[in-house]
């Protein structure tokens, strides 16, 4: 983990509110492993006390790229950065995706910009498998040709049917599992909205497959000190404990994650 | 001219007057890759109570204008867990370790303090009587003068370690609490803890914290903290630690001039882990340029 002042090399909109930001980050870029993130201090955002976490989309030598969507004040302000300007990074952070287990067939499942967290994995895995990309609309489906050029079989779903199959990721994943997977055992790598991650975990748990889930939680310090980004994990004694997304995650195997029993709402502590 | 930044904070020898505020710096190892811990005046670790505790449901924090709300709920490993998991690491560093302690009852406060008395490598205890996020009563001890005195008397009787009660900001007369701390044998006081506050998501009409309310920290509370530090420092002769939204040397100097003998950097650790280092360097530069040799020369030097 290092803190460094990176310089913007390239910053451009891709499509539908998504942007690609490429930085010169010689201290951090060479150490990034797939699925890790960087914590970005957005310049000119002085009234904001917290950094913003971004999955590393890809690294190339001393270059580090993030791919992000305009979702709020932080990302809007980030969008004004021009090549030559600097921004402060902490990284690489968190536990990313592991290497593929011997003999398993890799399956990527991404919702929207969740794809960004999976690209390095897609690039480095020795076996290229099938990648399921889902989004609300065609504008949310990114970098398909990049994944295809790496050798991945990309399956697309959009909720409005504007690109690929109409429906959710699972509407493509389920028939594929039934009709095309055959006797191969998959290992899943997933990043996206919580509902999608739960659906992937459900299938993996049911079939006894390994599924690596990258969680998207609110984050504070990014280094494990503030305890903002906690998720419930099995404690090995039949109960649960908190794990920090920024340290023990953001990638968890689906069996590590503790899911609340159905019909029981979280008991909030009252003042 | 040589500038000597070292201070003696109620019996705790520090290389400089800049510490990390409890809850913003973990237990030390979290920031060790980014900050040379040996350069800090002191590390104040996250609040510890007798037994391990899980803390609140998320969302636990929310960013607001020039600050953040938190209602983490003081999760922690308990006394034994902390000593086992973190003290071996902390003892390897040349930095005073101040443990922030809290309890649900007077007896628990006293027992936690007593247990730490025998632990090697602890420089002092900060007494958390003002966490706004614990329903068991921590905050009540910090806002009711009688209870506040009782906690301090119980802890004082339980340990010879230097004691630093951390004062709540939401009291009608901060000087009364500072004086009570001094009368009970506290070696210093620190202030302010985060300010009780609330934020609402107007789309969902839900509170932005699962705990509904939380503590406001960051630059938003700094002018409030400067005033309270000024009032407290005038009321007592024990040293005061100024806390509240410090993110630059200039911020820290305001507190020193108002009467604080030391300062703690809190929320700004999240923004930039290098903040404490910049604050230390900036204080040294200020002293040198103003022709002072010691930090004490500017403590309480407010011109009215």
């Amino acid at each position: 983990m290092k803190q460094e002042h990176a310089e913007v090399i390239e910053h451009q909109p891709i499509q539908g509110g998504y942007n690609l930001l490429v930085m010169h980050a010689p201290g951090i870029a060479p150490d990034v492993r797939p699925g890790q993130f960087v914590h970005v201090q957005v310049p000119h955002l002085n009234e904001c006390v917290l950094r913003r976490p971004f999955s590393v989309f890809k690294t190339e030598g001393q270059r580090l790229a993030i791919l992000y969507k305009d979702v709020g004040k932080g990302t809007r302000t980030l969008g004004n950065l021009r090549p030559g300007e600097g921004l402060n990074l902490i990284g690489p952070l968190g536990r990313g995706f592991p290497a593929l287990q011997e003999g398993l067939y890799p399956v990527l499942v991404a919702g929207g910009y969740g794809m960004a967290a999976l690209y390095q994995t897609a690039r480095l895995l020795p076996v290229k498998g099938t990648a399921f990309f889902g989004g609300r609309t065609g504008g949310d489906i990114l970098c398909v040709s990049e994944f295809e050029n790496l050798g991945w079989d990309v399956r697309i779903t959009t909720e409005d049917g504007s690109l690929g199959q109409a429906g959710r990721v699972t509407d493509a994943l389920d028939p594929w599992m039934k009709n095309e997977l055959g006797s191969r055992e998959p290992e899943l790598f997933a990043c996206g909205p919580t509902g999608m991650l739960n659906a992937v975990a459900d299938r993996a748990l049911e079939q006894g497959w390994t599924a690596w889930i990258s969680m998207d939680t609110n984050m504070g310090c990014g280094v494990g000190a503030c305890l903002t980004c906690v998720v419930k994990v099995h404690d090995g004694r039949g109960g649960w404990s908190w794990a920090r997304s920024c340290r023990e995650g953001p990638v968890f195997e689906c069996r590590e994650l503790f899911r609340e029993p159905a019909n029981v709402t979280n008991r909030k502590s009252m003042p | 001219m040589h500038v000597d930044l070292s201070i003696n904070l109620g019996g705790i020898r520090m290389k400089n007057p800049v510490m990390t505020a409890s809850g913003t710096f973990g237990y030390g190892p979290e920031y060790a890759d980014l900050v040379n811990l040996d350069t800090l005046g002191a590390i104040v670790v996250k609040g510890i109570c007798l037994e391990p505790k899980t803390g609140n449901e998320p969302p636990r924090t929310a960013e607001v204008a020039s600050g953040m709300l938190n209602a983490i709920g003081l999760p922690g490993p308990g006394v034994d867990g902390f000593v086992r998991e973190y003290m071996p690491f902390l003892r390897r560093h040349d930095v005073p370790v101040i443990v922030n302690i809290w309890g649900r009852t007077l007896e628990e406060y006293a027992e936690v303090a007593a247990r730490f008395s025998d632990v090697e490598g602890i420089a002092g205890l900060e007494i958390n009587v003002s966490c706004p996020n614990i329903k068991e009563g921590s905050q009540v001890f910090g806002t009711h003068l009688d209870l506040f005195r009782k906690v301090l008397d119980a802890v004082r009787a339980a340990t010879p370690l230097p004691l630093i009660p951390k004062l709540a900001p939401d009291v009608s007369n901060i000087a009364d609490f500072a004086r009570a701390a001094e009368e009970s044998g506290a070696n210093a006081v620190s202030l302010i803890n985060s300010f009780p506050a609330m934020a609402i998501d107007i789309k969902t009409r839900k509170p932005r914290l699962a705990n509904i309310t939380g503590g406001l920290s960051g630059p938003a509370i700094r002018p409030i903290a400067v005033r309270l530090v000024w009032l407290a420092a005038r009321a007592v002769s024990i040293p005061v630690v100024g806390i509240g939204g410090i993110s630059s040397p200039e911020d820290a100097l305001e507190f020193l001039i108002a009467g604080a003998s030391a300062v703690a950097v809190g929320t700004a650790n999240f923004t930039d882990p290098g903040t404490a280092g910049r604050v230390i360097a900036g204080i040294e530069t200020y002293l040198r340029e103003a022709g002072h040799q010691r930090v004490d020369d500017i403590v309480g030097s407010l011109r009215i």
Side-chain angles (χ1 to χ4, degrees):
Chain A
M1 184 199 310
K2 291 197 182 96
Q3 181 174 3
E4 83 173 330
H5 210 62
E7 189 187 321
V8 177
I9 296 172
E10 187 188 331
H11 196 186
Q12 60 188 41
I14 305 179
Q15 64 188 52
Y18 293 91
N19 303 287
L20 178 71
L21 173 58
V22 184
M23 292 162 275
H24 180 67
I28 293 172
D31 293 334
V32 177
R33 294 191 305 276
Q36 289 191 299
F37 68 96
V38 287
H39 217 19
V40 178
Q41 187 177 8
V42 180
H44 317 301
L45 199 60
N46 299 334
E47 79 278 17
C48 290
V49 297
L50 297 179
R51 288 170 177 255
R52 270 55 178 165
F54 294 95
S55 291
V56 174
F57 171 48
K58 59 179 160 186
T59 57
E60 206 79 79
Q62 301 187 331
R63 290 183 172 207
L64 183 155
I66 61 174
L67 194 153
Y68 67 94
K69 187 180 187 181
D70 291 336
V71 290
K73 194 162 46 178
T75 44
R76 264 200 312 279
T77 310
L78 194 62
N80 297 326
L81 273 184
R82 294 287 156 257
E85 289 189 89
L87 73 172
N88 196 275
L89 304 183
I90 297 174
L93 296 171
R95 181 181 73 160
F97 291 107
L100 183 72
Q101 295 174 60
E102 184 96 25
L104 300 191
Y105 181 79
V107 174
L108 310 181
V109 187
Y113 58 84
M115 178 277 312
L118 292 167
Y119 184 74
Q120 285 287 92
T121 296
R123 195 148 75 157
L124 294 174
L125 285 185
V127 181
K128 311 303 179 192
T130 306
F132 294 87
F133 287 2
R136 250 189 298 279
T137 176
D140 298 318
I141 306 297
L142 305 158
C143 303
V144 173
S145 60
E146 266 115 321
F147 280 74
E148 285 178 340
N149 290 341
L150 291 171
W152 289 84
D153 170 18
V154 180
R155 310 293 177 95
I156 297 165
T157 53
T158 52
E159 285 172 36
D160 67 358
S162 57
L163 193 67
Q165 184 184 338
R168 292 166 181 266
V169 168
T170 43
D171 294 324
L173 183 63
D174 287 339
W176 179 86
M177 281 163 41
K178 199 169 157 219
N179 304 322
E180 298 184 50
L181 178 61
S183 60
R184 294 172 294 189
E185 183 181 341
E187 182 168 1
L188 294 102
F189 301 84
C191 185
T194 307
M196 190 207 87
L197 297 177
N198 285 338
V200 169
D202 286 344
R203 283 153 182 78
L205 291 169
E206 203 180 291
Q207 302 289 334
W209 296 332
T210 302
W212 300 97
I213 305 284
S214 179
M215 305 289 285
D216 188 4
T217 54
N218 279 338
M219 229 169 241
C221 69
V223 301
C226 77
L227 310 178
T228 292
C229 62
V230 292
V231 296
K232 281 179 182 162
V233 294
H234 289 281
D235 66 358
R237 298 188 298 274
W240 59 267
S241 60
W242 295 114
R244 301 164 297 182
S245 253
C246 69
R247 279 272 183 176
E248 287 79 43
V251 175
F252 295 90
E253 206 283 314
C254 67
R255 276 163 204 78
E256 296 177 279
L257 294 168
F258 179 90
R259 306 263 291 274
E260 298 290 346
N263 304 323
V264 178
T265 51
N266 288 0
R267 290 238 311 275
K268 309 282 190 200
S269 41
M270 300 296 285
Chain B
M1 188 180 62
H2 178 70
V3 174
D4 179 9
L5 287 181
S6 70
I7 64 161
N8 182 334
L9 184 77
I12 304 171
R13 303 277 317 166
M14 293 168 38
K15 288 176 195 140
N16 62 68
V18 182
M19 33 215 263
T20 58
S22 178
T24 67
F25 208 70
Y27 305 100
E30 294 85 351
Y31 277 105
D33 283 357
L34 304 175
V35 177
N36 181 353
L37 304 184
D38 294 357
T39 61
L40 299 170
I43 292 176
V44 186
V45 302
K46 185 161 177 65
I48 301 285
C49 64
L50 206 50
E51 301 293 337
K53 195 168 179 300
T54 53
N56 294 335
E57 291 284 330
R60 290 174 162 189
T61 60
E63 194 179 49
V64 297
S66 296
M68 65 183 283
L69 302 183
N70 88 80
I72 310 292
L74 289 173
V79 175
D80 293 341
F82 168 74
V83 171
R84 191 176 58 241
E85 290 170 43
Y86 297 104
M87 281 313 294
F89 170 88
L90 290 166
R91 282 189 201 110
R92 287 199 298 274
H93 287 85
D94 178 25
V95 60
V97 174
I98 297 170
V99 180
N100 181 287
I101 64 163
W102 68 279
R104 284 167 299 180
T105 61
L106 291 175
E107 294 72 25
E108 268 190 29
Y109 271 102
E111 190 175 345
V112 174
R115 298 264 284 271
F116 277 120
S117 309
D118 302 326
V119 177
E120 183 204 334
I122 289 173
L125 301 177
E126 182 176 61
I127 308 169
N128 187 354
V129 285
S130 45
C131 178
N133 306 317
I134 293 295
K135 58 186 166 208
E136 287 99 338
S138 171
Q139 193 190 10
V140 177
F141 291 118
T143 51
H144 291 73
L145 200 52
D146 291 346
L147 286 171
F148 179 70
R149 283 182 198 278
K150 282 185 177 142
V151 170
L152 298 193
D153 289 345
V155 173
R156 183 72 286 168
T159 181
L161 285 169
L163 297 179
I164 311 170
K166 187 169 188 176
L167 304 186
D170 52 329
V171 295
S172 55
N173 190 347
I174 198 81
D176 288 344
F177 285 81
R179 271 191 293 266
E182 184 171 39
E183 286 159 15
S184 297
N187 304 76
V189 291
S190 61
L191 68 156
I192 59 176
N193 206 325
S194 57
F195 209 100
M198 184 169 173
I200 296 167
D201 180 334
I202 60 163
K203 283 197 200 106
T204 61
R205 302 197 187 184
K206 283 173 173 276
R208 288 180 61 199
L209 298 173
N211 190 56
I212 304 175
T213 63
L216 176 62
S217 66
I221 66 168
R222 198 178 64 241
I224 297 173
V226 171
R227 170 181 173 269
L228 291 170
V229 163
W230 175 62
L231 291 170
R234 293 202 308 175
V236 294
S237 56
I238 52 175
V240 172
V241 180
I243 313 171
I246 294 172
S247 54
S248 71
E250 293 75 20
D251 298 343
L253 287 159
E254 271 196 73
F255 281 93
L256 297 176
I257 292 166
S261 297
V263 293
V265 173
T267 302
N269 290 314
F270 302 155
T271 321
D272 179 3
T275 303
R278 282 191 293 110
V279 169
I280 294 164
I283 291 172
E284 184 172 5
T285 303
Y286 180 88
L287 291 175
R288 181 177 297 113
E289 288 176 356
H292 297 297
Q293 282 170 288
R294 299 175 48 77
V295 179
D296 262 355
D297 295 344
I298 60 163
V299 170
S301 62
L302 182 71
R303 294 168 182 156
I304 301 178

